[in-house]
Amino acid sequence: MSAVLVVNSGSSSLKYQLIDAESEEALASGLVERIGEDSGHIRHKGPEGTTERSLPIPDHTAGFRAMLELFDSAGPSLADHPLVAVGHRVVHGGKRFFEPTVVTPLVEINIEDLADLAPLHNPANLQGIRAAKTAFPDVPHVAVFDTAFHQTLPPAAYTYAIDAALAEKHRVRRYGFHGTSHKYVSEAAAAFLGRPLGELKQIVLHLGNGASACAVDGGRSVETSMGMTPLEGLVMGTRSGDLDPAVLLHLSRRANLDTDGLDDLLNRRSGLLGLAGRGDMRDVRRAAEGGDPAARAALDAVVHRLKHYIGAYTALLGGLDVLTFTAGVGENDARLRAEALAGLEVLGIRVDPDRNTSASDEARVISADDSAVTVLVVPTDEELEIARQSLQAVAGS
């Protein structure tokens, strides 16, 4: 009855899930919010349902204490499900970390050193690790990096064409993100189809508030849309995606935006929010259907960018066997899937309208029987993937 606790720490939040190490069943999950504010909040879903509490949570260590109290009072008991590992999502591993890694003091130093590449994420991830080690001092802690799956990118894919010495000194290159999801989904797609992973050329589209595309050749990431940061690539909820870098120079000179202003613009005031005034795809869809031209234009930009990447990655792979949609938008927005794939028959992609609109929480085929490319919807499960990789790291150590 041993278990793995999966932790995803933000600057003011703490998500967690308890997963049975053998059955891979999710036994409990929860969210600690508003850490460091006057009144925090914790929501815990266990065997008896959902329990919520509001209380002061001054830091992540207090957040873990509140979580442990709810495991004791609302279940399941950690005494009945002793932890064999605590798995931590860490956003940026640079080029140092290419596999799940048992956390040591040196690993903590490296995660902290990489914070300049992910200033909004790595410090918060590290806070969570240190607080969790206080709560569970006798359990192995494992860092699972979003960037690790993309360490197989070839130099031609990860290299930016700027001064090479400057890029090396300041660690400027493509790293890619959502790697845990892309790995899980590409492997789940192969298993669902009953085909060897090593023989498949795949494109995975992880579409949520953050969005990325990944070309997977034989189980290895060979190209991905996010770059040195999670800002590059597809149109996202509040992030711009691909942009001519000269736009930043132009706005700095003409709109008097400094680096902080540009950072805020591209990460928090762009994407769907910047184009349509709404950052949630569902809200943009409703507005477009109600006749809002800005919302329709935003959806057109999303679809155009998706088609661009599907075509480019099919060419890079030298053909395509499987294309998979995943994450909140990818799994649930049938209209977007249909629009993104419309007109791609030249690439061997044909969608069955009835299959595409059929609601399901399970992995499923949405392509037509005569489609040369199999199109799937596969729900992602990053927490389960982190649990699996944590067990792998502990066994390996």
Side-chain angles (χ1 to χ4, degrees):
M1 299 292 287
S2 59
V4 178
L5 181 67
V6 175
V7 175
N8 184 352
S9 298
S11 58
S12 61
S13 65
L14 176 67
K15 289 176 63 178
Y16 60 88
Q17 189 169 123
L18 185 70
I19 297 176
D20 187 282
E22 295 183 7
S23 70
E24 298 189 336
E25 175 191 1
L27 304 171
S29 62
L31 173 64
V32 185
E33 297 180 283
R34 300 198 292 273
I35 296 173
E37 298 182 17
D38 292 339
S39 178
H41 184 264
I42 181 168
R43 182 172 66 253
H44 178 89
K45 184 178 180 181
E48 304 301 321
T50 300
T51 304
E52 299 192 51
R53 291 180 184 171
S54 293
L55 69 165
I57 305 176
D59 53 32
H60 285 73
T61 299
F64 273 98
R65 283 200 299 269
M67 178 193 72
L68 287 173
E69 289 171 4
L70 281 175
F71 272 116
D72 287 340
S73 62
S77 169
L78 294 182
D80 296 332
H81 302 278
L83 298 182
V84 292
V86 180
H88 298 266
R89 179 198 180 212
V90 180
V91 167
H92 219 304
K95 63 180 183 180
R96 302 176 189 178
F97 296 103
F98 52 88
E99 60 185 0
T101 303
V102 174
V103 176
T104 65
L106 180 58
V107 170
E108 291 185 41
I109 291 170
N110 277 283
I111 292 172
E112 191 166 28
D113 181 57
L114 290 164
D116 63 329
L117 295 175
L120 299 178
H121 296 94
N122 272 38
N125 300 153
L126 189 56
Q127 277 183 304
I129 289 173
R130 289 171 172 164
K133 289 176 71 175
T134 300
F136 305 104
D138 301 321
V139 178
H141 292 255
V142 179
V144 178
F145 298 90
D146 278 10
T147 51
F149 183 58
H150 304 300
Q151 287 287 354
T152 54
L153 292 179
Y158 68 65
T159 300
Y160 289 121
I162 65 171
D163 179 274
L166 189 70
E168 178 67 24
K169 180 178 179 180
H170 296 286
R171 300 183 285 199
V172 176
R173 52 160 284 178
R174 181 183 306 281
Y175 294 100
F177 299 89
H178 291 148
T180 306
S181 177
H182 287 302
K183 182 178 187 296
Y184 175 86
V185 171
S186 57
E187 292 176 356
F192 173 76
L193 295 172
R195 299 178 63 182
L197 177 67
E199 296 179 2
L200 294 178
K201 296 179 182 295
Q202 301 190 60
I203 294 174
V204 177
L205 300 174
H206 177 109
L207 307 181
N209 185 56
S212 65
C214 185
V216 183
D217 194 353
R220 295 163 58 87
S221 172
V222 295
E223 181 59 284
T224 191
S225 58
M226 286 180 167
M228 189 180 92
T229 74
L231 182 59
E232 190 179 359
L234 303 173
V235 177
M236 301 176 233
T238 64
R239 281 173 266 175
S240 65
D242 291 340
L243 192 74
D244 180 349
V247 170
L248 307 185
L249 306 178
H250 176 75
L251 292 177
S252 177
R253 294 173 182 139
R254 300 302 297 270
N256 202 30
L257 288 175
D258 60 13
T259 52
D260 289 340
L262 291 169
D263 183 278
D264 181 64
L265 170 69
L266 298 183
N267 279 292
R268 300 176 183 85
R269 296 192 290 119
S270 295
L272 293 176
L273 182 64
L275 292 173
R278 303 163 177 85
D280 189 293
M281 179 66 77
R282 293 165 295 187
D283 295 335
V284 176
R285 175 71 64 188
R286 281 191 290 268
E289 291 173 351
D292 185 331
R296 183 64 257 175
L299 290 176
D300 290 344
V302 170
V303 168
H304 181 88
R305 195 76 59 85
L306 283 167
K307 288 179 183 289
H308 169 87
Y309 274 95
I310 293 168
Y313 286 5
T314 300
L316 283 170
L317 289 165
L320 184 62
D321 298 308
V322 184
L323 186 150
T324 303
F325 290 89
T326 194
V329 175
E331 294 169 26
N332 296 297
D333 194 331
R335 181 80 63 84
L336 181 66
R337 295 193 298 262
E339 292 173 344
L341 301 183
L344 298 188
E345 290 84 2
V346 68
L347 300 180
I349 297 172
R350 286 177 53 84
V351 175
D352 183 293
D354 292 333
R355 291 174 179 171
N356 184 42
T357 55
S358 177
S360 174
D361 294 330
E362 303 296 325
R364 59 198 185 276
V365 175
I366 63 169
S367 49
D369 291 337
D370 61 348
S371 179
V373 175
T374 302
V375 184
L376 303 176
V377 175
V378 175
T380 191
D381 194 336
E382 293 173 89
E383 290 79 12
L384 177 55
E385 181 62 32
I386 290 172
R388 288 172 173 173
Q389 292 193 37
S390 298
L391 290 171
Q392 171 192 333
V394 170
S397 68

